[in-house]
């Protein structure tokens, strides 16, 4: 049985699919279980447990009855962040940037957050905030 896992509702499904398909195997050992760039759904697992699901935002709006609402909120602070524990934050950030991510913060030691904690922050092609961390 899958535990809780993030399901990202994305507007740029094909770009996000391509990004995550390229980086998740190396970042966290995730394998694509279902989905293609055509969407509207894709999921990746680690050890038969879901770790990330992508779902087309417009398809979910149809299910939720919110198609009349704007697809993008007004600019605001982030409400969610996808966090990946990795072996090497610097190498993981480089991998993500090579596949279309945008750097938000460079790799930084954050001892005030935890012993030996190192992080970098980036955005996927749809703008979702991602934290890469090692400790």
């Amino acid at each position: 049985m899958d535990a809780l896992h993030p399901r990202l509702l994305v507007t740029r499904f094909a770009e996000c699919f391509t990004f995550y398909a390229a980086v998740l195997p190396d970042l966290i050992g995730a394998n694509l279980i279902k989905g293609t760039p055509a969407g509207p759904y894709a999921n990746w697992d680690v050890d038969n447990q879901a770790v990330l699901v992508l779902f087309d935002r417009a398809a979910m709006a149809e299910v939720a009855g919110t198609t009349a609402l704007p697809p993008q909120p007004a600019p605001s602070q982030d409400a969610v962040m996808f966090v990946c524990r990795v072996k090497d934050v610097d190498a993981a950030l480089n991998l993500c940037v090579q596949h279309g991510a945008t750097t938000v913060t460079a790799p930084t030691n954050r001892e005030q957050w935890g012993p030996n904690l190192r992080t970098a922050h980036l955005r996927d092609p749809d703008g979702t905030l991602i934290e890469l961390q090692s400790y």
Side-chain angles (χ1 to χ4, degrees):
M1 180 174 88
D2 288 332
L4 299 174
H5 59 272
R7 179 173 293 188
L8 303 181
L9 304 177
V10 299
T11 55
R12 297 165 62 185
F13 190 93
E15 291 173 71
C16 287
F17 177 92
T18 301
F19 171 74
Y20 286 108
V23 303
L24 285 177
D26 289 338
L27 288 181
I28 60 174
N31 298 307
L32 176 66
I33 300 302
K34 181 180 179 182
T36 69
Y41 178 92
N43 72 283
W44 288 263
D45 286 9
V46 172
D47 297 329
N48 296 315
Q49 295 290 312
V51 294
L52 181 67
V53 172
L54 294 183
F55 198 73
D56 181 77
R57 185 176 291 183
M60 189 68 233
E62 287 180 30
V63 171
T66 59
T67 56
L69 297 175
Q72 298 292 331
S76 63
Q77 294 179 354
D78 295 286
V80 298
M81 177 172 62
F82 181 49
V83 179
C84 297
R85 185 175 179 188
V86 299
K87 291 180 182 179
D88 182 333
V89 170
D90 299 64
L93 178 63
N94 288 335
L95 173 68
C96 291
V97 169
Q98 288 173 7
H99 291 283
T102 304
T103 302
V104 174
T105 63
T108 304
N109 294 328
R110 300 201 185 271
E111 293 293 328
Q112 71 276 22
W113 291 5
N116 304 312
L117 184 64
R118 185 167 177 79
T119 68
H121 295 88
L122 53 121
R123 293 197 183 277
D124 74 10
D126 206 54
T128 300
L129 184 63
I130 299 171
E131 178 177 282
L132 304 172
Q133 60 174 238
S134 65
Y135 52 91

PDB file of all heavy atoms in Angstrom, residues 57-95:
ATOM      1  N   ARG A  57      -3.371  19.679 -14.582  1.00  0.00           N
ATOM      2  CA  ARG A  57      -4.211  20.580 -13.790  1.00  0.00           C
ATOM      3  C   ARG A  57      -5.608  20.741 -14.391  1.00  0.00           C
ATOM      4  O   ARG A  57      -6.612  20.745 -13.680  1.00  0.00           O
ATOM      5  CB  ARG A  57      -3.551  21.940 -13.637  1.00  0.00           C
ATOM      6  CG  ARG A  57      -4.336  22.854 -12.713  1.00  0.00           C
ATOM      7  CD  ARG A  57      -3.635  24.157 -12.492  1.00  0.00           C
ATOM      8  NE  ARG A  57      -2.449  23.875 -11.698  1.00  0.00           N
ATOM      9  CZ  ARG A  57      -1.611  24.800 -11.258  1.00  0.00           C
ATOM     10  NH1 ARG A  57      -1.823  26.058 -11.535  1.00  0.00           N
ATOM     11  NH2 ARG A  57      -0.562  24.468 -10.564  1.00  0.00           N
ATOM     12  N   ALA A  58      -5.702  20.867 -15.711  1.00  0.00           N
ATOM     13  CA  ALA A  58      -7.014  21.031 -16.359  1.00  0.00           C
ATOM     14  C   ALA A  58      -7.888  19.793 -16.165  1.00  0.00           C
ATOM     15  O   ALA A  58      -9.097  19.902 -15.944  1.00  0.00           O
ATOM     16  CB  ALA A  58      -6.844  21.340 -17.844  1.00  0.00           C
ATOM     17  N   ALA A  59      -7.280  18.607 -16.220  1.00  0.00           N
ATOM     18  CA  ALA A  59      -8.033  17.374 -16.007  1.00  0.00           C
ATOM     19  C   ALA A  59      -8.573  17.318 -14.582  1.00  0.00           C
ATOM     20  O   ALA A  59      -9.721  16.919 -14.358  1.00  0.00           O
ATOM     21  CB  ALA A  59      -7.157  16.156 -16.306  1.00  0.00           C
ATOM     22  N   MET A  60      -7.763  17.739 -13.603  1.00  0.00           N
ATOM     23  CA  MET A  60      -8.231  17.741 -12.214  1.00  0.00           C
ATOM     24  C   MET A  60      -9.307  18.795 -12.010  1.00  0.00           C
ATOM     25  O   MET A  60     -10.251  18.579 -11.248  1.00  0.00           O
ATOM     26  CB  MET A  60      -7.051  17.988 -11.265  1.00  0.00           C
ATOM     27  CG  MET A  60      -7.388  17.787  -9.805  1.00  0.00           C
ATOM     28  SD  MET A  60      -7.711  16.041  -9.436  1.00  0.00           S
ATOM     29  CE  MET A  60      -9.292  16.180  -8.650  1.00  0.00           C
ATOM     30  N   ALA A  61      -9.202  19.926 -12.706  1.00  0.00           N
ATOM     31  CA  ALA A  61     -10.220  20.974 -12.594  1.00  0.00           C
ATOM     32  C   ALA A  61     -11.578  20.466 -13.067  1.00  0.00           C
ATOM     33  O   ALA A  61     -12.615  20.813 -12.484  1.00  0.00           O
ATOM     34  CB  ALA A  61      -9.797  22.203 -13.387  1.00  0.00           C
ATOM     35  N   GLU A  62     -11.565  19.628 -14.097  1.00  0.00           N
ATOM     36  CA  GLU A  62     -12.821  19.034 -14.562  1.00  0.00           C
ATOM     37  C   GLU A  62     -13.430  18.153 -13.480  1.00  0.00           C
ATOM     38  O   GLU A  62     -14.626  18.219 -13.205  1.00  0.00           O
ATOM     39  CB  GLU A  62     -12.597  18.225 -15.838  1.00  0.00           C
ATOM     40  CG  GLU A  62     -12.348  19.079 -17.062  1.00  0.00           C
ATOM     41  CD  GLU A  62     -12.139  18.242 -18.310  1.00  0.00           C
ATOM     42  OE1 GLU A  62     -12.716  17.130 -18.393  1.00  0.00           O
ATOM     43  OE2 GLU A  62     -11.391  18.697 -19.192  1.00  0.00           O
ATOM     44  N   VAL A  63     -12.605  17.342 -12.836  1.00  0.00           N
ATOM     45  CA  VAL A  63     -13.080  16.451 -11.771  1.00  0.00           C
ATOM     46  C   VAL A  63     -13.606  17.266 -10.589  1.00  0.00           C
ATOM     47  O   VAL A  63     -14.652  16.958 -10.023  1.00  0.00           O
ATOM     48  CB  VAL A  63     -11.943  15.511 -11.308  1.00  0.00           C
ATOM     49  CG1 VAL A  63     -12.331  14.735 -10.064  1.00  0.00           C
ATOM     50  CG2 VAL A  63     -11.548  14.568 -12.431  1.00  0.00           C
ATOM     51  N   ALA A  64     -12.876  18.311 -10.216  1.00  0.00           N
ATOM     52  CA  ALA A  64     -13.229  19.108  -9.037  1.00  0.00           C
ATOM     53  C   ALA A  64     -14.281  20.179  -9.327  1.00  0.00           C
ATOM     54  O   ALA A  64     -14.731  20.864  -8.413  1.00  0.00           O
ATOM     55  CB  ALA A  64     -11.970  19.771  -8.476  1.00  0.00           C
ATOM     56  N   GLY A  65     -14.651  20.354 -10.598  1.00  0.00           N
ATOM     57  CA  GLY A  65     -15.644  21.363 -10.946  1.00  0.00           C
ATOM     58  C   GLY A  65     -15.143  22.790 -10.828  1.00  0.00           C
ATOM     59  O   GLY A  65     -15.912  23.704 -10.539  1.00  0.00           O
ATOM     60  N   THR A  66     -13.847  22.987 -11.070  1.00  0.00           N
ATOM     61  CA  THR A  66     -13.268  24.328 -10.928  1.00  0.00           C
ATOM     62  C   THR A  66     -12.759  24.905 -12.248  1.00  0.00           C
ATOM     63  O   THR A  66     -11.940  25.819 -12.250  1.00  0.00           O
ATOM     64  CB  THR A  66     -12.108  24.304  -9.907  1.00  0.00           C
ATOM     65  OG1 THR A  66     -11.115  23.375 -10.360  1.00  0.00           O
ATOM     66  CG2 THR A  66     -12.589  23.911  -8.524  1.00  0.00           C
ATOM     67  N   THR A  67     -13.263  24.403 -13.375  1.00  0.00           N
ATOM     68  CA  THR A  67     -12.762  24.866 -14.677  1.00  0.00           C
ATOM     69  C   THR A  67     -13.037  26.339 -14.927  1.00  0.00           C
ATOM     70  O   THR A  67     -12.337  26.958 -15.723  1.00  0.00           O
ATOM     71  CB  THR A  67     -13.361  24.033 -15.828  1.00  0.00           C
ATOM     72  OG1 THR A  67     -14.782  24.090 -15.745  1.00  0.00           O
ATOM     73  CG2 THR A  67     -12.888  22.596 -15.769  1.00  0.00           C
ATOM     74  N   ALA A  68     -14.011  26.938 -14.253  1.00  0.00           N
ATOM     75  CA  ALA A  68     -14.317  28.356 -14.447  1.00  0.00           C
ATOM     76  C   ALA A  68     -13.341  29.270 -13.700  1.00  0.00           C
ATOM     77  O   ALA A  68     -13.291  30.469 -13.970  1.00  0.00           O
ATOM     78  CB  ALA A  68     -15.746  28.655 -13.991  1.00  0.00           C
ATOM     79  N   LEU A  69     -12.558  28.718 -12.799  1.00  0.00           N
ATOM     80  CA  LEU A  69     -11.594  29.514 -12.038  1.00  0.00           C
ATOM     81  C   LEU A  69     -10.308  29.694 -12.842  1.00  0.00           C
ATOM     82  O   LEU A  69      -9.983  28.869 -13.692  1.00  0.00           O
ATOM     83  CB  LEU A  69     -11.275  28.828 -10.711  1.00  0.00           C
ATOM     84  CG  LEU A  69     -12.453  28.673  -9.750  1.00  0.00           C
ATOM     85  CD1 LEU A  69     -12.023  27.868  -8.528  1.00  0.00           C
ATOM     86  CD2 LEU A  69     -12.985  30.032  -9.332  1.00  0.00           C
ATOM     87  N   PRO A  70      -9.527  30.751 -12.545  1.00  0.00           N
ATOM     88  CA  PRO A  70      -8.254  30.939 -13.256  1.00  0.00           C
ATOM     89  C   PRO A  70      -7.303  29.777 -12.967  1.00  0.00           C
ATOM     90  O   PRO A  70      -7.247  29.293 -11.835  1.00  0.00           O
ATOM     91  CB  PRO A  70      -7.695  32.249 -12.701  1.00  0.00           C
ATOM     92  CG  PRO A  70      -8.627  32.723 -11.666  1.00  0.00           C
ATOM     93  CD  PRO A  70      -9.781  31.790 -11.567  1.00  0.00           C
ATOM     94  N   PRO A  71      -6.533  29.340 -13.980  1.00  0.00           N
ATOM     95  CA  PRO A  71      -5.613  28.220 -13.770  1.00  0.00           C
ATOM     96  C   PRO A  71      -4.405  28.575 -12.916  1.00  0.00           C
ATOM     97  O   PRO A  71      -3.785  27.697 -12.330  1.00  0.00           O
ATOM     98  CB  PRO A  71      -5.185  27.818 -15.180  1.00  0.00           C
ATOM     99  CG  PRO A  71      -5.407  29.037 -15.998  1.00  0.00           C
ATOM    100  CD  PRO A  71      -6.553  29.769 -15.366  1.00  0.00           C
ATOM    101  N   GLN A  72      -4.059  29.829 -12.842  1.00  0.00           N
ATOM    102  CA  GLN A  72      -2.911  30.257 -12.054  1.00  0.00           C
ATOM    103  C   GLN A  72      -3.352  31.287 -11.022  1.00  0.00           C
ATOM    104  O   GLN A  72      -4.068  32.229 -11.358  1.00  0.00           O
ATOM    105  CB  GLN A  72      -1.830  30.878 -12.947  1.00  0.00           C
ATOM    106  CG  GLN A  72      -1.243  29.937 -13.968  1.00  0.00           C
ATOM    107  CD  GLN A  72      -0.419  28.834 -13.330  1.00  0.00           C
ATOM    108  OE1 GLN A  72       0.157  28.976 -12.274  1.00  0.00           O
ATOM    109  NE2 GLN A  72      -0.385  27.684 -13.993  1.00  0.00           N
ATOM    110  N   PRO A  73      -2.924  31.130  -9.759  1.00  0.00           N
ATOM    111  CA  PRO A  73      -3.249  32.136  -8.752  1.00  0.00           C
ATOM    112  C   PRO A  73      -2.415  33.395  -8.976  1.00  0.00           C
ATOM    113  O   PRO A  73      -1.417  33.372  -9.706  1.00  0.00           O
ATOM    114  CB  PRO A  73      -2.865  31.460  -7.441  1.00  0.00           C
ATOM    115  CG  PRO A  73      -1.789  30.493  -7.830  1.00  0.00           C
ATOM    116  CD  PRO A  73      -2.129  30.039  -9.235  1.00  0.00           C
ATOM    117  N   ALA A  74      -2.849  34.454  -8.339  1.00  0.00           N
ATOM    118  CA  ALA A  74      -2.054  35.683  -8.365  1.00  0.00           C
ATOM    119  C   ALA A  74      -0.694  35.373  -7.740  1.00  0.00           C
ATOM    120  O   ALA A  74      -0.580  34.444  -6.939  1.00  0.00           O
ATOM    121  CB  ALA A  74      -2.762  36.780  -7.591  1.00  0.00           C
ATOM    122  N   PRO A  75       0.346  36.102  -8.070  1.00  0.00           N
ATOM    123  CA  PRO A  75       1.644  35.838  -7.448  1.00  0.00           C
ATOM    124  C   PRO A  75       1.527  35.813  -5.928  1.00  0.00           C
ATOM    125  O   PRO A  75       0.876  36.676  -5.326  1.00  0.00           O
ATOM    126  CB  PRO A  75       2.506  37.007  -7.914  1.00  0.00           C
ATOM    127  CG  PRO A  75       1.884  37.442  -9.199  1.00  0.00           C
ATOM    128  CD  PRO A  75       0.405  37.210  -9.011  1.00  0.00           C
ATOM    129  N   SER A  76       2.119  34.793  -5.346  1.00  0.00           N
ATOM    130  CA  SER A  76       2.096  34.632  -3.895  1.00  0.00           C
ATOM    131  C   SER A  76       3.277  33.767  -3.479  1.00  0.00           C
ATOM    132  O   SER A  76       3.980  33.219  -4.317  1.00  0.00           O
ATOM    133  CB  SER A  76       0.781  33.982  -3.448  1.00  0.00           C
ATOM    134  OG  SER A  76       0.673  32.683  -3.989  1.00  0.00           O
ATOM    135  N   GLN A  77       3.455  33.636  -2.192  1.00  0.00           N
ATOM    136  CA  GLN A  77       4.504  32.758  -1.695  1.00  0.00           C
ATOM    137  C   GLN A  77       4.121  31.317  -1.995  1.00  0.00           C
ATOM    138  O   GLN A  77       2.952  30.989  -2.175  1.00  0.00           O
ATOM    139  CB  GLN A  77       4.685  32.959  -0.193  1.00  0.00           C
ATOM    140  CG  GLN A  77       5.206  34.330   0.154  1.00  0.00           C
ATOM    141  CD  GLN A  77       5.357  34.525   1.651  1.00  0.00           C
ATOM    142  OE1 GLN A  77       4.977  33.669   2.449  1.00  0.00           O
ATOM    143  NE2 GLN A  77       5.915  35.650   2.037  1.00  0.00           N
ATOM    144  N   ASP A  78       5.117  30.449  -2.024  1.00  0.00           N
ATOM    145  CA  ASP A  78       4.863  29.039  -2.299  1.00  0.00           C
ATOM    146  C   ASP A  78       4.042  28.411  -1.184  1.00  0.00           C
ATOM    147  O   ASP A  78       4.239  28.712  -0.003  1.00  0.00           O
ATOM    148  CB  ASP A  78       6.195  28.284  -2.434  1.00  0.00           C
ATOM    149  CG  ASP A  78       6.984  28.763  -3.631  1.00  0.00           C
ATOM    150  OD1 ASP A  78       6.591  28.420  -4.752  1.00  0.00           O
ATOM    151  OD2 ASP A  78       7.985  29.481  -3.439  1.00  0.00           O
ATOM    152  N   ALA A  79       3.127  27.523  -1.565  1.00  0.00           N
ATOM    153  CA  ALA A  79       2.311  26.799  -0.592  1.00  0.00           C
ATOM    154  C   ALA A  79       2.814  25.375  -0.377  1.00  0.00           C
ATOM    155  O   ALA A  79       2.508  24.756   0.636  1.00  0.00           O
ATOM    156  CB  ALA A  79       0.848  26.769  -1.044  1.00  0.00           C
ATOM    157  N   VAL A  80       3.567  24.843  -1.337  1.00  0.00           N
ATOM    158  CA  VAL A  80       4.106  23.486  -1.224  1.00  0.00           C
ATOM    159  C   VAL A  80       5.537  23.460  -1.749  1.00  0.00           C
ATOM    160  O   VAL A  80       5.952  24.341  -2.511  1.00  0.00           O
ATOM    161  CB  VAL A  80       3.270  22.449  -2.015  1.00  0.00           C
ATOM    162  CG1 VAL A  80       1.859  22.370  -1.484  1.00  0.00           C
ATOM    163  CG2 VAL A  80       3.273  22.757  -3.489  1.00  0.00           C
ATOM    164  N   MET A  81       6.270  22.423  -1.325  1.00  0.00           N
ATOM    165  CA  MET A  81       7.626  22.225  -1.803  1.00  0.00           C
ATOM    166  C   MET A  81       7.872  20.721  -1.861  1.00  0.00           C
ATOM    167  O   MET A  81       7.532  19.996  -0.929  1.00  0.00           O
ATOM    168  CB  MET A  81       8.626  22.903  -0.861  1.00  0.00           C
ATOM    169  CG  MET A  81      10.072  22.709  -1.227  1.00  0.00           C
ATOM    170  SD  MET A  81      11.213  23.709  -0.222  1.00  0.00           S
ATOM    171  CE  MET A  81      10.940  23.084   1.427  1.00  0.00           C
ATOM    172  N   PHE A  82       8.451  20.250  -2.955  1.00  0.00           N
ATOM    173  CA  PHE A  82       8.826  18.842  -3.111  1.00  0.00           C
ATOM    174  C   PHE A  82      10.261  18.711  -2.635  1.00  0.00           C
ATOM    175  O   PHE A  82      11.162  19.370  -3.153  1.00  0.00           O
ATOM    176  CB  PHE A  82       8.676  18.437  -4.577  1.00  0.00           C
ATOM    177  CG  PHE A  82       9.016  17.006  -4.867  1.00  0.00           C
ATOM    178  CD1 PHE A  82       8.488  15.976  -4.113  1.00  0.00           C
ATOM    179  CD2 PHE A  82       9.845  16.686  -5.923  1.00  0.00           C
ATOM    180  CE1 PHE A  82       8.787  14.647  -4.387  1.00  0.00           C
ATOM    181  CE2 PHE A  82      10.150  15.365  -6.223  1.00  0.00           C
ATOM    182  CZ  PHE A  82       9.620  14.338  -5.445  1.00  0.00           C
ATOM    183  N   VAL A  83      10.494  17.874  -1.614  1.00  0.00           N
ATOM    184  CA  VAL A  83      11.815  17.736  -1.001  1.00  0.00           C
ATOM    185  C   VAL A  83      12.398  16.378  -1.353  1.00  0.00           C
ATOM    186  O   VAL A  83      11.733  15.346  -1.212  1.00  0.00           O
ATOM    187  CB  VAL A  83      11.718  17.890   0.532  1.00  0.00           C
ATOM    188  CG1 VAL A  83      13.092  17.711   1.174  1.00  0.00           C
ATOM    189  CG2 VAL A  83      11.125  19.244   0.891  1.00  0.00           C
ATOM    190  N   CYS A  84      13.646  16.379  -1.822  1.00  0.00           N
ATOM    191  CA  CYS A  84      14.358  15.149  -2.170  1.00  0.00           C
ATOM    192  C   CYS A  84      15.662  15.087  -1.396  1.00  0.00           C
ATOM    193  O   CYS A  84      16.487  16.007  -1.497  1.00  0.00           O
ATOM    194  CB  CYS A  84      14.691  15.105  -3.663  1.00  0.00           C
ATOM    195  SG  CYS A  84      13.272  15.087  -4.747  1.00  0.00           S
ATOM    196  N   ARG A  85      15.844  14.010  -0.643  1.00  0.00           N
ATOM    197  CA  ARG A  85      17.135  13.779   0.004  1.00  0.00           C
ATOM    198  C   ARG A  85      18.044  13.123  -1.024  1.00  0.00           C
ATOM    199  O   ARG A  85      17.682  12.109  -1.632  1.00  0.00           O
ATOM    200  CB  ARG A  85      16.971  12.881   1.219  1.00  0.00           C
ATOM    201  CG  ARG A  85      18.264  12.711   1.981  1.00  0.00           C
ATOM    202  CD  ARG A  85      18.057  11.925   3.250  1.00  0.00           C
ATOM    203  NE  ARG A  85      19.325  11.761   3.946  1.00  0.00           N
ATOM    204  CZ  ARG A  85      19.469  10.986   4.992  1.00  0.00           C
ATOM    205  NH1 ARG A  85      18.440  10.314   5.483  1.00  0.00           N
ATOM    206  NH2 ARG A  85      20.653  10.876   5.565  1.00  0.00           N
ATOM    207  N   VAL A  86      19.210  13.712  -1.232  1.00  0.00           N
ATOM    208  CA  VAL A  86      20.150  13.244  -2.250  1.00  0.00           C
ATOM    209  C   VAL A  86      21.528  13.045  -1.618  1.00  0.00           C
ATOM    210  O   VAL A  86      21.803  13.560  -0.541  1.00  0.00           O
ATOM    211  CB  VAL A  86      20.227  14.245  -3.429  1.00  0.00           C
ATOM    212  CG1 VAL A  86      18.869  14.392  -4.104  1.00  0.00           C
ATOM    213  CG2 VAL A  86      20.733  15.610  -2.982  1.00  0.00           C
ATOM    214  N   LYS A  87      22.389  12.317  -2.318  1.00  0.00           N
ATOM    215  CA  LYS A  87      23.748  12.093  -1.806  1.00  0.00           C
ATOM    216  C   LYS A  87      24.601  13.344  -1.933  1.00  0.00           C
ATOM    217  O   LYS A  87      25.396  13.654  -1.062  1.00  0.00           O
ATOM    218  CB  LYS A  87      24.410  10.934  -2.549  1.00  0.00           C
ATOM    219  CG  LYS A  87      23.809   9.598  -2.240  1.00  0.00           C
ATOM    220  CD  LYS A  87      24.524   8.498  -3.004  1.00  0.00           C
ATOM    221  CE  LYS A  87      23.874   7.164  -2.707  1.00  0.00           C
ATOM    222  NZ  LYS A  87      24.484   6.061  -3.421  1.00  0.00           N
ATOM    223  N   ASP A  88      24.465  14.059  -3.063  1.00  0.00           N
ATOM    224  CA  ASP A  88      25.326  15.199  -3.371  1.00  0.00           C
ATOM    225  C   ASP A  88      24.454  16.327  -3.910  1.00  0.00           C
ATOM    226  O   ASP A  88      23.988  16.276  -5.052  1.00  0.00           O
ATOM    227  CB  ASP A  88      26.363  14.773  -4.406  1.00  0.00           C
ATOM    228  CG  ASP A  88      27.356  15.861  -4.780  1.00  0.00           C
ATOM    229  OD1 ASP A  88      27.022  17.062  -4.684  1.00  0.00           O
ATOM    230  OD2 ASP A  88      28.473  15.511  -5.195  1.00  0.00           O
ATOM    231  N   VAL A  89      24.226  17.332  -3.092  1.00  0.00           N
ATOM    232  CA  VAL A  89      23.346  18.447  -3.469  1.00  0.00           C
ATOM    233  C   VAL A  89      23.863  19.170  -4.706  1.00  0.00           C
ATOM    234  O   VAL A  89      23.090  19.487  -5.614  1.00  0.00           O
ATOM    235  CB  VAL A  89      23.176  19.432  -2.287  1.00  0.00           C
ATOM    236  CG1 VAL A  89      22.488  20.710  -2.723  1.00  0.00           C
ATOM    237  CG2 VAL A  89      22.401  18.762  -1.160  1.00  0.00           C
ATOM    238  N   ASP A  90      25.150  19.423  -4.777  1.00  0.00           N
ATOM    239  CA  ASP A  90      25.713  20.159  -5.908  1.00  0.00           C
ATOM    240  C   ASP A  90      25.499  19.404  -7.222  1.00  0.00           C
ATOM    241  O   ASP A  90      25.046  19.972  -8.222  1.00  0.00           O
ATOM    242  CB  ASP A  90      27.204  20.435  -5.693  1.00  0.00           C
ATOM    243  CG  ASP A  90      27.460  21.271  -4.453  1.00  0.00           C
ATOM    244  OD1 ASP A  90      27.162  20.784  -3.336  1.00  0.00           O
ATOM    245  OD2 ASP A  90      27.941  22.399  -4.576  1.00  0.00           O
ATOM    246  N   ALA A  91      25.797  18.107  -7.214  1.00  0.00           N
ATOM    247  CA  ALA A  91      25.621  17.294  -8.423  1.00  0.00           C
ATOM    248  C   ALA A  91      24.145  17.174  -8.788  1.00  0.00           C
ATOM    249  O   ALA A  91      23.777  17.229  -9.964  1.00  0.00           O
ATOM    250  CB  ALA A  91      26.228  15.911  -8.219  1.00  0.00           C
ATOM    251  N   ALA A  92      23.283  17.027  -7.779  1.00  0.00           N
ATOM    252  CA  ALA A  92      21.846  16.914  -8.038  1.00  0.00           C
ATOM    253  C   ALA A  92      21.298  18.202  -8.646  1.00  0.00           C
ATOM    254  O   ALA A  92      20.486  18.162  -9.580  1.00  0.00           O
ATOM    255  CB  ALA A  92      21.110  16.578  -6.745  1.00  0.00           C
ATOM    256  N   LEU A  93      21.741  19.338  -8.145  1.00  0.00           N
ATOM    257  CA  LEU A  93      21.300  20.614  -8.712  1.00  0.00           C
ATOM    258  C   LEU A  93      21.754  20.730 -10.168  1.00  0.00           C
ATOM    259  O   LEU A  93      20.962  21.117 -11.037  1.00  0.00           O
ATOM    260  CB  LEU A  93      21.826  21.792  -7.895  1.00  0.00           C
ATOM    261  CG  LEU A  93      21.455  23.173  -8.433  1.00  0.00           C
ATOM    262  CD1 LEU A  93      19.946  23.383  -8.429  1.00  0.00           C
ATOM    263  CD2 LEU A  93      22.154  24.260  -7.635  1.00  0.00           C
ATOM    264  N   ASN A  94      22.998  20.376 -10.436  1.00  0.00           N
ATOM    265  CA  ASN A  94      23.493  20.434 -11.821  1.00  0.00           C
ATOM    266  C   ASN A  94      22.664  19.546 -12.739  1.00  0.00           C
ATOM    267  O   ASN A  94      22.322  19.938 -13.857  1.00  0.00           O
ATOM    268  CB  ASN A  94      24.973  20.046 -11.877  1.00  0.00           C
ATOM    269  CG  ASN A  94      25.872  21.112 -11.307  1.00  0.00           C
ATOM    270  OD1 ASN A  94      25.519  22.285 -11.281  1.00  0.00           O
ATOM    271  ND2 ASN A  94      27.033  20.718 -10.836  1.00  0.00           N
ATOM    272  N   LEU A  95      22.332  18.343 -12.292  1.00  0.00           N
ATOM    273  CA  LEU A  95      21.506  17.428 -13.080  1.00  0.00           C
ATOM    274  C   LEU A  95      20.153  18.055 -13.392  1.00  0.00           C
ATOM    275  O   LEU A  95      19.692  18.042 -14.538  1.00  0.00           O
ATOM    276  CB  LEU A  95      21.312  16.115 -12.321  1.00  0.00           C
ATOM    277  CG  LEU A  95      20.337  15.122 -12.957  1.00  0.00           C
ATOM    278  CD1 LEU A  95      20.905  14.566 -14.257  1.00  0.00           C
ATOM    279  CD2 LEU A  95      20.010  14.003 -11.977  1.00  0.00           C
TER     280      LEU A  95
END
